[in-house]
């Protein structure tokens, strides 16, 4: 038996990966690494880090537990940084709009925005979260892109803003019970609504609590000083509702929630229009066209796109993994799957991918070419599971 | 006869000239929760080492190879409706397919239970 197509970079440890690999010595570890090992995690290389892909409960149980109660994720590999204006009279959020199509300048205090760093061709360099605190901006970017993102931002804003990368741990507590658990330690977290953040104090240390996540559930991401991270994680894990969750379930949860994984569903070859992310680009930015790639993006909005990111529900039980070809029912190639696997909460396979715009309407019948066989499937609305964000 | 094992973590058990094939407890544990299985149709000819079946966990798809050459006489249809049998009973009800051997000498090249146990121990 051998693992063929692992569904992305966080494929479960295949037979081969149980063998020691020399390059693993160069991998970094988060401050929670020893805790993951104590919890019995299976560790895999991911984005330059040794990360837990699953704990003994397994991806299925971890996934279902997060939707039913609360899951704790170590996402300390992600990049966290302050963006400060060099001139105190300036506003980092306004300056940052030169790099992204999102509405950042208009962010209210403590409000979080999802946006993308775009290149002059309209391609996506990374997607990220930005939060306003005064005239500063708090950024959280993907682990695999953080060095290049930070270099790009520093270069583009040289002389006007500076980036201060923060060596802090980042924990995500996600699920319907997340708020009840976190409120035992940080009572004020209840006051936050979805996409809102505030600095709070936990045992004398400042922690940044953001009500957002990557699962489709209500929940929080909590940025804590590295020295405090293990104790904080252990306190949360000590609560009955909380189980540790690995990257495997993080991936299946975000897929069910219809959320993009950078490097798979979006990259420098996809624009926010093709990726169906224009909800994150307000009218003010579209009209002004003052962001990298605006020309292409504006043209695509006016003329339409050749291909579009869509959700896909296979009729049968066979998962269609990343790279699976998509054909129309007449056998013509119309696209490919960018993320696909089994959706534990739905109990069936799901996928997302890009198809010709002519075939992007929900309900359109397609074929997925899995191991040479054309399996029937349909274009579907996303998210596959209802979002349960707390909007107050 | 006693079971034989491959380095790819299949087991094969011979009854007369019919061999039953499955994946080992170690393999199912490495895979995690099995969510889909595709077994070969009866009548299919397979050579030793050919792709014969597919097993998929939440995250990954894996091939199950034919441990010996022969003709498939039965696929385990129970796995279609209940792929979790592979996790629950990899050594028994979770078998994948049965085949009629064409060359029983091929079994001599496989590991016995003790050798497989040592092999798995080395993998850590």
């Amino acid at each position: 038996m051998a693992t063929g197509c692992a569904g992305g970079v966080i494929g479960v440890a295949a037979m081969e990966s149980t063998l020691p690999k020399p390059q693993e010595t160069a991998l970094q570890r988060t401050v929670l690494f020893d805790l993951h090992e104590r919890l019995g995690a299976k560790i895999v290389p991911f984005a330059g880090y040794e990360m837990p892909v699953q704990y003994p409960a397994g991806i299925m149980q971890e996934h279902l537990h997060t939707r039913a109660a609360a899951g704790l994720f170590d996402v300390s590999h992600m990049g966290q940084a302050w963006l400060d204006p060099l001139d105190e009279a300036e506003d980092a959020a306004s300056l940052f709009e030169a790099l992204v199509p999102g509405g950042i300048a208009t962010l209210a205090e403590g409000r979080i925005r999802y946006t993308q760093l775009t290149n002059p061709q309209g391609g996506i360099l990374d997607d990220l979260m930005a939060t306003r605190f005064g005239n500063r901006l708090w950024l959280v970017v993907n682990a695999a892109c953080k060095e290049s993102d930070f270099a790009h931002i520093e270069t583009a804003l040289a002389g006007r803003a500076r980036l201060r990368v923060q060596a802090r741990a980042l924990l995500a507590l996600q699920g319907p019970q997340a708020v009840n658990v976190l409120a035992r330690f940080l009572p004020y977290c209840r006051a936050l609504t979805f996409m809102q953040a505030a600095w709070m104090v936990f045992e004398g240390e400042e922690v940044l609590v953001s009500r957002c996540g990557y699962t489709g559930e209500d929940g929080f991401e909590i940025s804590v000083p590295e020295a405090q991270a293990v104790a904080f994680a252990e306190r949360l894990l000590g609560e009955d509702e909380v189980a540790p969750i690995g990257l495997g379930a993080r991936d299946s949860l975000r897929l069910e929630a219809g959320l993009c994984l950078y490097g798979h569903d979006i990259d420098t070859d996809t624009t926010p229009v093709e990726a169906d992310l224009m909800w994150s680009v307000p009218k003010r930015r579209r009209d002004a066209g003052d962001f990298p790639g605006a020309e292409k993006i504006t043209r695509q909005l006016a003329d339409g796109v050749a291909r579009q990111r869509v959700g896909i529900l296979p009729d049968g039980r066979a998962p269609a993994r990343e790279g699976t070809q998509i054909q129309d029912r007449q056998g013509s190639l119309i696209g490919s799957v960018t993320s696909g696997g089994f959706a534990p909460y739905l109990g069936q396979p799901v996928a997302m991918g890009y198809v010709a715009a002519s075939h992007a309407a929900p309900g359109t019948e397609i074929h997925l070419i899995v191991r040479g066989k054309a399996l029937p499937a349909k274009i579907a609305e996303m998210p596959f599971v209802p979002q349960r964000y707390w909007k107050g | 006869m006693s079971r034989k094992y491959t380095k790819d973590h299949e087991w094969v058990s011979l009854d007369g000239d019919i061999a039953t094939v499955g994946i080992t407890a170690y393999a199912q544990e490495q895979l995690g929760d099995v969510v889909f299985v595709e077994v070969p149709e009866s009548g299919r000819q397979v050579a030793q080492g050919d792709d014969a079946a597919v097993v998929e966990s939440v995250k990954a798809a894996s091939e199950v190879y034919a441990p010996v050459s022969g003709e498939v006489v039965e696929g385990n249809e129970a796995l279609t409706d209940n792929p979790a049998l592979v996790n629950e009973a990899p050594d028994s009800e979770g078998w994948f397919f049965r085949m009629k051997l064409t060359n029983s000498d091929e079994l001599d090249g496989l590991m016995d239970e003790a050798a497989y146990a040592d092999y798995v121990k080395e993998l850590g």
Side-chain angles (χ1 to χ4, degrees):
Chain A
M1 198 185 77
T3 297
C5 42
V9 281
I10 42 181
V12 167
M15 298 300 134
E16 301 80 41
S17 67
T18 56
L19 302 169
K21 291 198 182 81
Q23 70 269 25
E24 283 182 17
T25 53
L27 294 173
Q28 299 183 71
R29 293 174 173 182
T30 75
V31 290
L32 295 174
F33 181 83
D34 291 346
L35 177 60
H36 299 317
E37 290 221 304
R38 279 211 302 286
L39 293 167
K42 187 181 288 183
I43 304 290
V44 299
F46 177 75
Y49 284 79
E50 288 186 276
M51 296 298 287
V53 67
Q54 65 177 88
Y55 297 89
I59 294 175
M60 190 90 83
Q61 287 311 313
E62 292 171 28
H63 181 115
L64 296 174
H65 183 89
T66 304
R67 295 246 183 269
L72 183 69
F73 305 71
D74 177 16
V75 288
S76 305
H77 55 316
M78 297 185 79
Q80 306 177 69
W82 279 116
L83 184 68
D84 304 334
L86 290 184
D87 177 350
E88 272 302 315
E90 286 216 272
D91 176 38
S94 302
L95 295 172
F96 194 58
E97 285 198 346
L99 302 182
V100 300
I104 311 299
T106 49
L107 271 175
E109 179 72 8
R111 287 282 168 183
I112 310 164
R113 207 77 101 199
Y114 168 79
T115 190
Q116 308 86 34
L117 289 166
T118 46
N119 67 22
Q121 293 76 42
I124 301 172
L125 296 165
D126 196 10
D127 60 346
L128 69 131
M129 293 288 201
T131 309
R132 175 192 285 281
F133 293 104
N135 64 350
R136 298 190 296 167
L137 211 51
W138 177 265
L139 303 176
V140 178
V141 305
N142 282 306
C145 305
K146 61 185 178 185
E147 272 86 21
S148 58
D149 286 353
F150 291 155
H152 170 68
I153 295 166
E154 280 189 320
T155 305
L157 300 179
R160 303 196 70 183
R162 71 181 168 146
L163 209 50
R164 286 183 295 127
V165 177
Q166 304 291 296
R168 294 171 69 91
L170 190 62
L171 298 169
L173 187 66
Q174 300 280 304
Q177 292 301 320
V179 63
N180 292 327
V181 170
L182 194 62
R184 288 170 206 150
F185 306 99
L186 297 162
Y188 186 71
C189 77
R190 287 190 186 281
L192 300 174
T193 55
F194 179 59
M195 297 299 267
Q196 192 176 18
W199 289 89
M200 301 178 195
V201 175
F202 176 75
E203 296 183 342
E205 297 286 348
E206 286 205 313
V207 299
L208 174 58
V209 181
S210 304
R211 200 159 191 172
C212 61
Y214 196 42
T215 60
E217 298 294 329
D218 181 24
F220 301 86
E221 289 183 357
I222 311 115
S223 174
V224 302
E226 286 192 332
Q228 197 186 27
V230 172
F232 187 68
E234 284 176 333
R235 293 285 290 277
L236 293 175
L237 288 168
E239 299 300 305
D240 287 344
E241 301 93 330
V242 182
I245 311 296
L247 290 180
R250 181 169 161 84
D251 190 47
S252 54
L253 286 159
R254 69 91 196 166
L255 177 57
E256 273 187 350
L259 300 170
C260 293
L261 175 60
Y262 189 79
H264 299 260
D265 308 304
I266 49 176
D267 57 29
T268 51
D269 289 329
T270 61
T271 70
V273 188
E274 293 160 347
D276 197 19
L277 294 174
M278 289 308 287
W279 56 267
S280 66
V281 183
K283 185 171 184 299
R284 173 177 63 85
R285 302 301 315 275
R286 298 182 194 199
D287 290 348
D290 55 353
F291 52 87
E295 194 187 333
K296 167 102 167 254
I297 288 167
T298 306
R299 193 168 65 241
Q300 285 187 335
L301 280 174
D303 301 345
V305 286
R307 59 173 188 157
Q308 205 175 312
R309 184 175 66 93
V310 293
I312 298 158
L313 281 177
D315 291 356
R317 294 188 57 87
R321 309 286 179 178
E322 181 177 4
T324 299
Q325 283 195 1
I326 304 171
Q327 294 181 354
D328 65 17
R329 290 285 169 106
Q330 284 71 48
S332 299
L333 182 66
I334 55 166
S336 66
V337 169
T338 51
S339 285
F342 187 79
Y345 190 77
L346 295 178
Q348 68 155 90
V350 298
M352 67 169 84
Y354 285 80
V355 296
S358 54
H359 289 73
T364 304
E365 296 188 333
I366 56 167
H367 275 143
L368 300 167
I369 310 305
V370 177
R371 290 180 287 275
K373 281 181 239 167
L375 305 181
K378 290 181 189 70
I379 304 298
E381 302 261 17
M382 289 192 287
F384 298 107
V385 297
Q387 291 165 341
R388 297 200 285 183
Y389 303 136
W390 178 252
K391 296 190 172 169
Chain B
M1 70 157 244
S2 55
R3 287 194 178 191
K4 295 283 189 151
Y5 297 84
T6 71
K7 288 190 169 177
D8 299 311
H9 308 283
E10 289 98 10
W11 57 260
V12 52
S13 177
L14 195 67
D15 182 8
D17 63 348
I18 301 296
T20 303
V21 178
I23 68 169
T24 65
Y26 173 84
Q28 70 79 21
E29 198 185 320
Q30 292 295 309
L31 282 172
D33 303 298
V34 172
V35 297
F36 177 77
V37 172
E38 192 174 279
V39 293
E41 286 171 15
S42 57
R44 194 170 133 196
Q45 296 287 338
V46 290
Q48 186 176 36
D50 280 358
D51 296 350
V54 174
V55 55
E56 302 208 22
S57 66
V58 179
K59 278 306 300 163
S62 305
E63 310 287 351
V64 178
Y65 302 131
V68 287
S69 306
E71 180 187 328
V72 174
V73 294
E74 186 184 2
N76 185 0
E77 295 301 330
L79 298 184
T80 307
D81 294 332
N82 187 11
L85 271 180
V86 177
N87 296 118
E88 291 156 13
D91 296 321
S92 51
E93 291 96 65
W95 60 278
F96 277 66
F97 55 92
R98 296 202 164 106
M99 56 193 292
K100 190 180 238 177
L101 260 66
T102 49
N103 178 7
S104 58
D105 290 349
E106 287 174 347
L107 288 167
D108 299 338
L110 303 182
M111 289 177 275
D112 63 15
E113 191 169 350
Y116 179 70
D118 286 345
Y119 173 68
V120 165
K121 200 179 286 175
E122 270 176 43
L123 295 178

